[in-house]
Amino acid sequence: MTTAFARNQWYVAAYSQEVGEDLMARTICGEPIVFYRTGDGQAVGLADRCVHRRYPLSLSHRDGDRIVCGYHGFTYEPTGACVYVPGQTRVPRTARVPSYPIVEQDSLVWIWIGDAAKADATRIPRVPYLAAEGWTTVRGMEPLAARYSLLVDNLLDLSHETYLHGGYIGTPEVAETPITTEVDEEAGIVRVSRRMKDAECPPFYAKSTGITGRIDRWQDIEYYPPCLYTLHSRIAPTGVEPGPDGDDSRAAHAEIVYAITPETESSTHDFWMVARDFAVDDEEVSRFLAESNRTVVLQDVVALNALEKVIATEPDGYQELSINIDTGGLAARRILKRLAEAS
Amino acid sequence: MTSPATTDATVYRVVWQPGSDTLVGVCHCGAERDADDPIEVWQWLLSHPDHDQP
Ligand code: FES
Ligand SMILES: [Fe+2]
Ligand SMILES: [Zn+2]
């Protein structure tokens, strides 16, 4: 089972809305980082350890765009350079903390973990609908006391919806419908597609879309290892197909996005988002989807936390058994392993 | 979803035959093979280029 982190990769560190005036501490891939936003709106991520005696900068305070260490006053620029030390005029040349490459787009704050010289922002996968006209997004983040690979396994095999999320998003058809799996080796993308015909509409979609009868339900996963998972969900009254011109306005679309960001070797930031192109101004629907999705995510959190305990205490060499539903998860594991080994 | 450039040239596909338990591996070279479980199908796909041409 993959546990090592893939370094030299972009990870979602936060939602844009989380990073502001206040100093925010968050550990990513085992690295403690302090986040804040400068006066001109730039999101900054610095190593959260003062170079002097390691005091967390996140427990310190700001002086304009600078951070003044709360222990003895070392003062840092957003670049990480220390520009003041107490009681002497000479600032040692090595007085600086690492500053992380940050890219903010699509309402997400991405951070590069690894060799800063290798950071290439064009490699970050895009999720424009999270911040686009005509879409509404609800979101949250749950702390997961489990290694990130367990969440990857979980999300790549949605057949578990039937058993773990019955009454919310699970119906019998999910576990019963065969999947098609694809791996694009060069781009490093795993796709798992499940197209259900004439299926029961789970409450999650019945209540939010207003579609009451039988549905055609598409679940098209695209996973961009290591961090970004997207599920393109299409819900339509059964028999309604997209038009020949691509027009699919009679169907409801939800983009379910997860950012799977390792915190430590055995804990994960579980960012979840649900963007939709229906009932976009309906706050009742937003509230319902946010509440239901959080409930579903917490059902996974409870299950994966239990699984982490099992795995952490078992002897080495446990033989898992994989079946057809695991085709995508196995592909994801292989790519994660490759990324971790390359870094 | 816009994404990094993809080329069909490197895509491995596994189709779960509806109504059966069979997985069909389809390599980008055109070779195909049935398998009984996902470990077997990935092993075969990743053994490319050691595939018989169809
Ligand atoms: S620990 Fe930061 S100034 Fe001493
Ligand atoms: Fe789940
Ligand atoms: Zn081949």
Side-chain angles (χ1 to χ4, degrees), chain A residues 154-155 157-158 160-161 164-165 169 258 296-297 299-300:
Chain A
N154 172 279
L155 290 170
D157 168 26
L158 295 181
H160 81 270
E161 288 183 354
L164 199 51
H165 308 304
I169 52 176
Y258 283 81
V296 164
V297 170
Q299 287 168 341
D300 284 324

Side-chain angles (χ1 to χ4, degrees), chain A residues 21-85:
Chain A
E21 276 287 289
D22 294 342
L23 299 171
M24 180 183 79
R26 188 160 285 165
T27 296
I28 315 268
C29 296
E31 304 190 14
I33 300 165
V34 57
F35 294 92
Y36 66 105
R37 197 177 287 283
T38 62
D40 66 4
Q42 222 32 55
V44 174
L46 299 179
D48 193 17
R49 294 290 181 264
C50 181
V51 73
H52 178 228
R53 289 294 181 267
R54 302 185 192 85
Y55 191 73
L57 297 180
S58 56
L59 300 179
S60 305
H61 65 270
R62 288 179 62 166
D63 174 13
D65 284 348
R66 295 174 170 171
I67 299 183
V68 180
C69 179
Y71 197 4
H72 314 93
F74 275 46
T75 301
Y76 297 93
E77 291 278 7
T79 57
C82 178
V83 291
Y84 171 84
V85 300

Side-chain angles (χ1 to χ4, degrees), chain A residues 123 125-129 175 177-187 189 191 194 222 224 228 230 232 322-328 330-331 334, chain B residues 1-24 26 28 35-42 45-46:
Chain A
R123 283 179 49 203
R126 299 301 305 259
V127 271
Y129 36 79
T177 307
I179 49 172
T180 296
T181 305
E182 273 182 21
V183 175
D184 186 324
E185 286 293 310
E186 225 156 79
I189 301 172
R191 298 193 172 86
R194 176 180 274 113
E222 287 188 291
Y224 298 78
L228 191 81
T230 63
H232 314 296
S322 293
I323 61 167
N324 289 3
I325 56 173
D326 301 307
T327 307
L330 291 173
R334 177 175 62 83
Chain B
M1 177 94 214
T2 51
S3 52
T6 64
T7 55
D8 276 351
T10 54
V11 173
Y12 295 111
R13 179 175 295 118
V14 179
V15 181
W16 179 345
Q17 280 298 86
S20 81
D21 292 341
T22 306
L23 296 175
V24 184
V26 185
H28 47 80
D36 285 335
D37 73 67
I39 307 246
E40 182 191 335
V41 85
W42 284 126
L45 280 167
L46 296 170

Side-chain angles (χ1 to χ4, degrees), chain A residues 16-17 19 37 41-43 102-110:
Chain A
S16 284
Q17 65 206 37
V19 178
R37 197 177 287 283
Q42 222 32 55
I102 299 265
V103 171
E104 206 169 354
Q105 65 189 18
D106 305 329
S107 79
L108 304 173
V109 177
W110 291 85

Side-chain angles (χ1 to χ4, degrees), chain A residues 306-329:
Chain A
L307 210 41
E308 174 63 37
K309 286 204 183 117
V310 169
I311 292 170
T313 55
E314 83 193 354
D316 282 346
Y318 181 84
Q319 259 311 114
E320 283 182 322
L321 176 66
S322 293
I323 61 167
N324 289 3
I325 56 173
D326 301 307
T327 307

Side-chain angles (χ1 to χ4, degrees), chain A residues 171 173 196-201 213-217 238:
Chain A
T171 67
E173 292 91 353
M196 292 164 266
K197 273 242 157 252
D198 189 20
E200 183 184 325
C201 190
R214 307 280 293 174
I215 56 166
D216 291 350
R217 180 180 182 189
T238 191

